[in-house]
Amino acid sequence: MANHQTIVALSREPIAEKFVFELKNHAHLLGVSLHTLDDQIFNGIYYSARWESSHHLEALQREALRSIAAKFSSDLCFLRSDLAPQNIRVLAMDMDSTLINIECIDEIADFTGKKSAVVEITEATMRGEIKDFQESLRRRVSLLEGVHADALESVYRKRLKPNPGAVELLTGANERGLYTLLVSGGFTFFTEKLRQQMGFKQTQANTLEIIDGKLTGKVLGDIVDGVAKAKHLDAACERLGCTKAKSITMGDGANDLIMMNGSGISIAYKAKPVVKEKADAAFDHVGLDAALLLIS
């Protein structure tokens, strides 16, 4: 691992001198010096600034600097100094609460009056408190038994929206020739529609069993969990003749961590603390399309 990192600040507003002063001052207290690399850049949507750190920053140090950035409505990314953005070949991302604004299973459960019970399990799983994602999913899907299949279409049309910057991210990634992969612990009904709508090259998710127009409360085939997400990414990289280090990954929950680990750039989008702690970048103020600045 390189002894130093490239730190990137991203913001919707101009990056204030006070922010830079506080960031450098606190880094100094941590025994780290920050060297300004470029003038502040504005791409029409986001402002960005870059520094080189004298040392590799550990999780608690990154958290301290991110707290300062948050005061200025900015996000920080900690990238390997030897990262070659032009070599990134794959974009792999989660669906629920990352690409889109909802957890689809929670909204489907609303049609049974069991949304609160499903949400409780979903939240505990995403925080990493329930370790077995497959068991968690089976428990939640069982509560959907008897829901009419039309509810899926209602969720898609009335409740599902792409998160800010999602459309722009996919447009930019496809223009750059990246292989775009949507890997979800959610359901194929939604991933297939999003593939057609947004132009993903590949989608992987779980299939709900439907008999006589109603959900049976069961999932067909193997469940896409954290391990499966990582395997799908590895397989995509292998087909392209590259390593996982040439991918950019995005997620919000604990089941995304295996996929994100070892990727060239890992991005936590409005994520649970356990994910932010381990991710290279944490987006809380900028949209998904800000990721394009990291590979420009």
Side-chain angles (χ1 to χ4, degrees):
M1 179 179 295
N3 291 328
H4 49 89
Q5 292 170 303
T6 299
I7 300 177
V8 183
L10 298 169
S11 177
R12 294 183 182 274
E13 301 295 331
I15 295 168
E17 289 184 11
K18 185 178 180 182
F19 167 32
V20 177
F21 174 79
E22 289 193 26
L23 189 74
K24 288 190 172 184
N25 185 59
H26 195 82
H28 179 72
L29 295 176
L30 296 173
V32 177
S33 61
L34 301 183
H35 171 69
T36 302
L37 291 176
D38 298 301
D39 292 334
Q40 187 173 156
I41 296 172
F42 179 56
N43 75 341
I45 304 173
Y46 305 110
Y47 293 85
S48 65
R50 292 173 179 257
W51 304 272
E52 183 178 86
S53 68
S54 59
H55 296 81
H56 177 84
L57 291 143
E58 302 299 334
L60 290 177
Q61 295 173 313
R62 294 197 300 269
E63 184 178 346
L65 296 184
R66 279 176 175 156
S67 294
I68 293 171
K71 289 167 44 182
F72 296 90
S73 300
S74 300
D75 293 321
L76 284 185
C77 317
F78 300 87
L79 310 179
R80 295 198 321 270
S81 60
D82 61 351
L83 178 73
Q86 68 275 14
N87 290 336
I88 295 294
R89 301 280 306 282
V90 181
L91 167 66
M93 63 190 306
D94 171 52
M95 178 176 70
D96 296 271
S97 297
T98 301
L99 178 71
I100 61 174
N101 63 321
I102 58 172
E103 293 284 335
C104 292
I105 192 168
D106 297 352
E107 302 308 315
I108 298 169
D110 203 19
F111 288 85
T112 70
K114 297 178 180 178
K115 182 174 180 177
S116 60
V118 172
V119 168
E120 184 177 346
I121 300 172
T122 300
E123 286 293 306
T125 304
M126 294 302 100
R127 289 192 300 266
E129 295 166 8
I130 298 178
K131 303 298 183 184
D132 189 337
F133 179 85
Q134 294 195 21
E135 178 58 28
S136 162
L137 185 66
R138 289 192 179 97
R139 284 169 55 189
R140 286 178 286 160
V141 171
S142 70
L143 295 173
L144 305 181
E145 183 179 2
V147 173
H148 199 283
D150 287 350
L152 303 178
E153 185 68 28
S154 293
V155 168
Y156 178 75
R157 291 188 176 278
K158 298 178 181 179
R159 304 189 184 188
L160 185 155
K161 295 180 181 179
N163 273 326
V167 173
E168 293 81 359
L169 170 64
L170 265 295
T171 298
N174 286 325
E175 286 176 351
R176 285 166 168 76
L178 300 188
Y179 187 85
T180 48
L181 170 64
L182 183 63
V183 277
S184 174
F187 308 117
T188 53
F189 178 89
F190 302 102
T191 57
E192 179 58 20
K193 285 182 175 294
L194 290 166
R195 183 188 67 79
Q196 296 176 19
Q197 176 186 341
M198 302 179 74
F200 282 95
K201 298 293 194 300
Q202 179 186 350
T203 62
Q204 301 290 159
N206 300 299
T207 303
L208 290 168
E209 183 180 59
I210 299 174
I211 296 179
D212 295 331
K214 292 184 178 181
L215 275 62
T216 66
K218 297 179 181 179
V219 177
L220 297 174
D222 295 334
I223 287 177
V224 177
D225 59 6
V227 172
K229 286 185 176 187
K231 287 182 177 178
H232 286 303
L233 172 56
D234 289 341
C237 290
E238 185 176 349
R239 288 195 298 273
L240 293 172
C242 69
T243 66
K244 188 177 183 179
K246 293 185 178 180
S247 70
I248 182 169
T249 54
M250 309 181 80
D252 74 297
N255 66 322
D256 297 313
L257 285 172
I258 303 174
M259 172 183 73
M260 294 167 73
N261 183 44
S263 62
I265 307 173
S266 58
I267 299 174
Y269 181 76
K270 295 187 177 180
K272 301 298 183 288
V274 67
V275 184
K276 287 185 186 181
E277 177 186 320
K278 297 180 183 301
D280 299 319
F283 287 2
D284 289 314
H285 302 91
V286 298
L288 292 166
D289 54 333
L292 296 172
L293 286 169
L294 303 180
I295 56 174
S296 296

